[in-house]
Amino acid sequence: MAESGEDREAERTRATRTRARLDYVVRVSGVGFWYCDLPFGPMDWDERVKEHFFFPVDARVTIDDFYTRLHPDDREPTRKAIEVSIEGGGSYDVEYRTVDPNSGAVKWIRALGGAAYADDGTPTHFDGVTVDVTAQKLDQQRLASLNEQLREQDRRKDEFLATLAHELRNPLAPLRTGLHILSLQTSPEQTARLREMMERQLAHLVRMVDDLLDISRVTLGKVSLKKERLDFRAVLHSALETSHPLIEAGGHELGVQLPPDPLPLYVDPTRLTQVIANLLNNSVKYTPPGGRIHLSAAVEPETLIIQVRDTGIGIPAEMLPRVFDPFTQVGRSLAHTQSGLGLGLTLVHRIVEMHGGSVEAESPGIGLGSTLTVRLPLAPPISARSVMRDTRSAVSAAEALRILVVDDNIDAADSLALLLSLRGHKTHLAHTGEAAVADARAFRPHVAFVDIGLPDVSGYEVARRMRAESTDGRPLTLVALTGWGSEEDRRRAQAAGFDSHFVKPVDLDKLSDILTRSGAPT
């Protein structure tokens, strides 16, 4: 039956709609179509393929242009894949990178296709499609990078646990042996030597535990800096006292170079001492016996530069970005002189950053030593107001307060009482709760600093009893001293009658404010 005009028109309409749907799918999916006569002549690419290769829509493309736009590492593998597909009649399925010659931008493209052949087997066409798979490739690379990071973290965790077990056994072995020897009959000289040995090993254990706790607190943000204005020399003196035994034991030569002018900082002295001591100890650890360690300080605009250089084993270039990572040790097999958990430089990095500074490591390479550089902001100049406040820190006799200090830690009580006495106040000490209540009746303090953890009754009970017995109208300010600082602890202190709640160690500025608010004595 002859096809009617209406049938032909309907077929053309269906064909038009099919092409429209196909064009829509191509546009949405990002698929491009390419056609090539064989042997390769001009390439017939649609606009999507040209976009994949960074060509303008009206560009004429040849096979040479195709290879030129491929990443250099992908040209030969792609050429071989095309030859194999044409010669063997198999499918063509490759991924390659295309490069924009102007911007250097890169796309990942997947190409699929194959050859068509004449009746005699001669290849006549090589056609197919391209798809931009850059997003998928980047996702795969990110996933591979994350997997590699996880494997590295897992490896370092296993290495750390093995190191921790090893380092704990080192001091535990002589401690156990020493205890066994002490159970036998020993001379006083032997006992003294054993005690010294066991104290050294115990101190080593305590240092490792302290490092673990410190890195945990710093990482979780549970360390608050107690800053004060001081000269860097004071911090350096404390750090040298800490590190001197290790430096001396290693037979190292230590040089220190400081400028003559003051080096004012506003820092937490305890934490910065830890930083300098860890830097020195790190140099001791990685410097063979008899090496040289040199510490210097210099001033740049608003910045103090502290450098610790050594003649140690050096740092490989690939390790430089990782020396401040937790549990990282450089050249473990080379470092026979000292042990450790690989936390010292991590603490240095975290503490320095908390002070608004930075730290970096440099080394020419293995066997050529290393340099660690810390940059800290200098303290701003002292204002005239601050100078006036300092000159008035001591009170007159008429302004002196009677202050009762209650703490079973004798050193803590003595030092606080001494500080208050130097400021002109009259102080009295008590080391138990019962003594504090009894002494308050006779001493009649204006202010009482009371430790909560007393050996007989709690500081809360002391406050309640002192408040109950203070019925003569005289002012009494009760201040709680404790190592606990939660909101619940503050509520308990307030309920017991305390006016203020201080977490140890006492902030001296807050202490001064309390004494000022307590008013003149009556």
Side-chain angles (χ1 to χ4, degrees):
M1 179 184 295
E3 186 178 29
S4 68
E6 291 182 356
D7 291 338
R8 286 193 297 273
E9 183 61 29
E11 181 62 29
R12 283 195 295 271
T13 300
R14 284 194 297 271
T16 300
R17 289 174 178 172
T18 299
R19 284 195 298 272
R21 285 195 295 269
L22 180 58
D23 289 342
Y24 173 77
V25 170
V26 169
R27 287 196 303 273
V28 172
S29 64
V31 176
F33 290 85
W34 46 269
Y35 312 93
C36 306
D37 291 331
L38 294 177
F40 286 111
M43 315 287 283
D44 185 5
W45 289 0
D46 69 8
E47 62 182 54
R48 182 69 67 184
V49 179
K50 291 179 180 179
E51 177 187 317
H52 292 164
F53 281 77
F54 302 99
F55 282 113
V57 174
D58 58 353
R60 292 175 58 84
V61 184
T62 68
I63 190 65
D64 292 334
D65 297 325
F66 166 76
Y67 284 118
T68 299
R69 290 294 170 96
L70 291 183
H71 189 282
D73 293 345
D74 298 336
R75 290 170 187 164
E76 191 57 31
T78 303
R79 191 188 308 275
K80 289 182 178 178
I82 292 174
E83 291 175 355
V84 168
S85 176
I86 294 175
E87 293 174 2
S91 63
Y92 170 68
D93 186 351
V94 297
E95 289 182 352
Y96 45 68
R97 288 161 290 179
T98 60
V99 182
D100 185 343
N102 298 316
S103 67
V106 175
K107 292 180 181 179
W108 276 95
I109 305 298
R110 184 180 182 184
L112 301 97
Y117 302 87
D119 292 340
D120 62 358
T122 302
T124 58
H125 294 87
F126 190 63
D127 310 323
V129 297
T130 59
V131 183
D132 188 336
V133 293
T134 303
Q136 296 93 310
K137 274 292 182 180
L138 292 178
D139 287 341
Q140 290 173 8
Q141 290 172 357
R142 282 191 289 267
L143 182 60
S145 177
L146 288 173
N147 285 335
E148 181 58 32
Q149 291 177 32
L150 288 173
R151 282 194 294 269
E152 175 63 14
Q153 291 177 1
D154 193 52
R155 184 194 65 78
R156 285 167 51 193
K157 178 205 68 177
D158 292 342
E159 184 178 271
F160 165 70
L161 291 175
T163 302
L164 178 61
H166 175 268
E167 296 300 328
L168 289 176
R169 289 190 184 101
N170 278 341
L172 287 176
L175 283 171
R176 171 180 283 182
T177 302
L179 288 172
H180 179 70
I181 294 174
L182 287 176
S183 67
L184 307 174
Q185 288 187 348
T186 58
S187 67
E189 294 79 8
Q190 290 173 326
T191 300
R193 287 200 302 272
L194 284 171
R195 282 190 57 187
E196 290 177 2
M197 177 272 292
M198 295 173 71
E199 286 172 355
R200 285 196 305 272
Q201 299 303 324
L202 180 59
H204 181 51
L205 273 174
V206 170
R207 281 197 302 271
M208 284 193 289
V209 174
D210 285 345
D211 278 352
L212 285 169
L213 292 176
D214 277 343
I215 197 65
S216 175
R217 287 192 291 261
V218 170
T219 301
L220 296 175
K222 294 185 177 181
V223 170
S224 59
L225 299 179
K226 298 174 176 61
K227 293 185 177 181
E228 59 184 76
R229 187 184 179 91
L230 48 75
D231 192 290
F232 172 67
R233 290 169 176 81
V235 171
L236 178 59
H237 178 73
S238 298
L240 289 175
E241 284 186 341
T242 301
S243 300
H244 180 72
L246 288 176
I247 296 172
E248 192 174 57
H252 299 306
E253 175 188 335
L254 175 65
V256 177
Q257 182 180 1
L258 302 178
D261 297 327
L263 304 171
L265 296 172
Y266 185 62
V267 295
D268 184 325
T270 300
R271 290 298 177 182
L272 190 57
T273 295
Q274 187 178 13
V275 165
I276 303 303
N278 279 355
L279 291 175
L280 292 170
N281 294 346
N282 184 77
S283 287
V284 171
K285 177 178 178 180
Y286 289 108
T287 301
R292 294 189 305 277
I293 300 171
H294 187 266
L295 184 146
S296 64
V299 174
E300 292 183 357
E302 301 182 351
T303 304
L304 177 64
I305 312 296
I306 306 163
Q307 285 192 327
V308 177
R309 300 192 300 273
D310 61 55
T311 57
I313 65 172
I315 306 172
E318 68 273 12
M319 286 294 297
L320 284 172
R322 294 180 45 208
V323 293
F324 299 107
D325 293 345
F327 316 129
T328 297
Q329 291 194 347
V330 177
R332 182 182 304 277
S333 61
L334 300 176
H336 300 297
T337 55
Q338 296 290 335
S339 56
L341 300 177
L343 294 174
L345 291 185
T346 302
L347 282 170
V348 167
H349 182 255
R350 303 277 173 87
I351 294 172
V352 168
E353 282 195 334
M354 290 173 68
H355 282 85
S358 64
V359 59
E360 62 180 349
E362 299 173 276
S363 175
I366 293 295
L368 300 176
S370 60
T371 301
L372 293 167
T373 303
V374 172
R375 289 177 170 82
L376 290 169
L378 287 169
I382 300 177
S383 65
R385 183 177 179 182
S386 298
V387 174
M388 292 176 61
R389 184 186 64 190
D390 291 341
T391 59
R392 295 200 306 262
S393 60
V395 299
S396 66
E399 297 173 319
L401 300 170
R402 294 190 299 275
I403 303 175
L404 177 63
V405 178
V406 185
D407 198 325
D408 61 327
N409 186 319
I410 296 176
D411 288 340
D414 286 347
S415 59
L416 179 56
L418 177 60
L419 174 63
L420 296 170
S421 298
L422 291 173
R423 293 191 173 187
H425 299 292
K426 300 173 184 177
T427 61
H428 184 82
L429 297 177
H431 301 304
T432 66
E434 294 293 349
V437 174
D439 292 349
R441 299 188 190 108
F443 185 60
R444 301 177 70 243
H446 302 103
V447 180
F449 292 97
V450 183
D451 182 24
I452 297 300
L454 296 170
D456 48 357
V457 296
S458 75
Y460 300 125
E461 178 62 22
V462 171
R464 282 189 285 266
R465 290 167 61 179
M466 290 179 64
R467 189 66 77 189
E469 295 186 13
S470 178
T471 58
D472 55 1
R474 61 182 169 85
L476 174 61
T477 301
L478 289 176
V479 181
L481 296 179
T482 176
W484 304 97
S486 69
E487 286 302 316
E488 177 60 26
D489 297 318
R490 298 180 189 279
R491 283 193 293 270
R492 290 187 64 189
Q494 185 178 21
F498 283 105
D499 298 288
S500 298
H501 178 281
F502 283 173
V503 177
K504 295 180 179 179
V506 179
D507 185 300
L508 299 183
D509 289 336
K510 291 181 179 179
L511 181 147
S512 297
D513 290 342
I514 285 290
L515 299 182
T516 301
R517 291 200 303 269
S518 296
T522 59

